[in-house]
Amino acid sequence: TAVQSTTYYRWGAANAIDGIRYAPGEASYCSITLSQLNQWWRLDLLDYYYIYKVVITNRADCCSERMTGVEIRIGNALVNNGNNNP
């Protein structure tokens, strides 16, 4: 289950977990939040798993600078939108 802080147009959080690793065209397979401070995207795996790899793929048509400063946090706490997780 994926959720994000806000959704721009029709590009919701579920688009980011559709298995498509290359996003051709205008953000066709991306999730996009509105422009705001401290945007977040969260995934609940609904069970415990050993995570050995996380791949983040940016949209292919533009905007690579939007990924600057991305942090990955893994944990169970939702306090502060999960930012308290390591």
Side-chain angles (χ1 to χ4, degrees):
T1 304
V3 294
Q4 59 193 38
S5 55
T6 58
T7 299
Y8 177 75
Y9 190 48
R10 65 175 186 264
W11 296 301
N15 287 5
I17 57 171
D18 59 8
I20 299 170
R21 292 186 180 183
Y22 176 71
E26 184 183 308
S28 52
Y29 302 100
C30 295
S31 69
I32 304 175
T33 60
L34 295 171
S35 182
Q36 68 182 111
L37 292 175
N38 303 316
Q39 298 112 318
W40 53 265
W41 180 91
R42 181 170 55 239
L43 177 65
D44 186 343
L45 298 175
L46 304 174
D47 204 348
Y48 291 93
Y49 295 91
Y50 173 74
I51 305 297
Y52 65 93
K53 180 178 173 182
V54 175
V55 177
I56 299 175
T57 304
N58 195 27
R59 59 190 281 185
D61 60 336
C62 75
C63 316
S64 62
E65 73 282 355
R66 293 181 184 173
M67 296 296 286
T68 301
V70 168
E71 295 180 1
I72 298 172
R73 298 178 180 269
I74 298 173
N76 292 322
L78 294 179
V79 177
N80 190 22
N81 290 317
N83 286 312
N84 294 354
N85 290 312

